[in-house]
Amino acid sequence: MPKNCPHCHEETFGWRELVTLDSFTPEECKNCHKLVRNSGWRQLLAPLAIISIILAAIPLSEFLPSDKTVFLIPIAVIVLPLVLVLIAKPVKAGDPQVDLSPFTPDPNNDKTILIQGWNEDELRRILDDFVEQDLTAFAAFRIEIQKRFENSFVLVFPEDIHPAEFVSLINYLAYPIDLDATGRGILVAGKTTLNSDFDGLPKSLAGKKAILYIPDNDEDHDVVYLKTESSMTLAKSFNEVAWQPVKDPRLPNTIESLAW
């Protein structure tokens, strides 16, 4: 049962890779060569599931003739790796977050994300998967879903969210690991007031309102664009630390109405 790379979304992780994939030692995707690790939460579930299977098997062994219990060994050899494969969830192995600016959550923050194209069940699944990636360098946060229309929602953050994770979530909503967005007309756009917590931005942009989005005709799947109210456009790849100025904003027509 192969699983998709969270970067390029190709089925590059077969059962052998999934058995050995862990949360602490990233492995390289064979297709895009980006680093991937196992979800920390899934890594925790694996031993719990194995222990549960063993505890369930002990009473069953009492009903087997003593000369037949030896057959439990090959079954265990098959079942235990299968559990590891089924539970494994490849996630992006982010760069170390030790250089992030100090962050004090602001309950009065104006960070919002508009999302269209996913239904509510799909959206909740995407958000659960995102939180499950266990980005422990960040402060705890809560996401509140506000429904606007059918398959149209606004996400707000009553306790705030680190800007780096805010940017990452915008990208993840467009490219979730286990859902196919082909033909779905997915729209994702974030709005906020910039401040010094946004690492890699020019200091002159502090206090400016901005819209964050996935660029039109995106083929990278790991970049987010930012356009300020003064029409300055920058882009940030997850492989880079700083936001880079770009000449072509590549602003999708569906987001034009959200811009200042």
Side-chain angles (χ1 to χ4, degrees):
M1 181 184 292
K3 295 192 177 182
N4 296 344
C5 167
H7 297 283
C8 65
H9 301 275
E10 296 293 331
E11 291 184 345
T12 53
F13 286 85
W15 69 268
R16 289 183 180 85
E17 292 80 13
L18 293 173
V19 167
T20 59
L21 189 66
D22 64 42
S23 301
F24 307 103
T25 308
E27 294 189 13
E28 191 176 89
C29 170
K30 295 177 181 177
N31 181 60
C32 67
H33 306 294
K34 295 180 180 179
L35 295 179
V36 175
R37 64 176 177 82
N38 196 6
S39 163
W41 177 240
R42 296 299 178 96
Q43 188 85 12
L44 177 63
L45 283 179
L48 294 178
I50 292 172
I51 292 172
S52 298
I53 292 173
I54 293 174
L55 292 177
I58 292 175
L60 292 177
S61 65
E62 298 178 359
F63 295 95
L64 293 175
S66 57
D67 60 335
K68 300 294 184 182
T69 55
V70 68
F71 292 107
L72 292 176
I73 297 176
I75 293 175
V77 171
I78 295 173
V79 171
L80 296 184
L82 182 60
V83 170
L84 294 176
V85 170
L86 292 175
I87 289 180
K89 184 178 183 63
V91 298
K92 296 177 181 178
D95 296 328
Q97 303 293 338
V98 293
D99 294 327
L100 288 175
S101 297
F103 173 64
T104 302
D106 178 11
N108 297 316
N109 76 91
D110 62 352
K111 295 185 183 76
T112 61
I113 298 177
L114 171 66
I115 172 72
Q116 294 179 2
W118 302 116
N119 62 44
E120 186 167 356
D121 289 341
E122 292 170 331
L123 178 58
R124 291 187 181 279
R125 175 181 168 186
I126 292 169
L127 295 176
D128 287 345
D129 285 347
F130 181 79
V131 173
E132 190 180 293
Q133 293 189 31
D134 188 26
L135 301 178
T136 53
F138 300 103
F141 62 92
R142 179 166 61 90
I143 304 174
E144 184 177 300
I145 302 174
Q146 299 177 353
K147 187 169 183 178
R148 298 173 70 245
F149 311 107
E150 188 67 25
N151 295 344
S152 178
F153 307 88
V154 170
L155 307 182
V156 295
F157 308 90
E159 294 149 13
D160 210 352
I161 180 174
H162 194 289
E165 199 160 17
F166 179 65
V167 173
S168 181
L169 177 56
I170 290 171
N171 181 271
Y172 192 81
L173 286 164
Y175 304 116
I177 295 174
D178 294 329
L179 288 174
D180 186 5
T182 304
R184 298 293 294 268
I186 303 299
L187 167 66
V188 183
K191 295 180 75 172
T192 189
T193 301
L194 303 175
N195 56 33
S196 59
D197 293 329
F198 282 81
D199 291 292
L201 277 179
K203 294 181 179 180
S204 59
L205 294 182
K208 302 287 187 182
K209 292 186 180 296
I211 184 169
L212 297 90
Y213 58 95
I214 305 301
D216 205 13
N217 300 318
D218 178 38
E219 296 181 355
D220 297 316
H221 294 183
D222 66 350
V223 67
V224 172
Y225 273 41
L226 177 154
K227 185 176 181 180
T228 69
E229 55 188 325
S230 58
S231 296
M232 177 184 287
T233 304
L234 303 99
K236 188 177 190 303
S237 167
F238 296 137
N239 297 322
E240 300 175 348
V241 175
W243 291 81
Q244 303 296 330
V246 293
K247 294 182 179 179
D248 183 3
R250 296 170 61 188
L251 186 67
N253 292 332
T254 50
I255 300 178
E256 284 280 4
S257 60
L258 300 178
W260 289 273

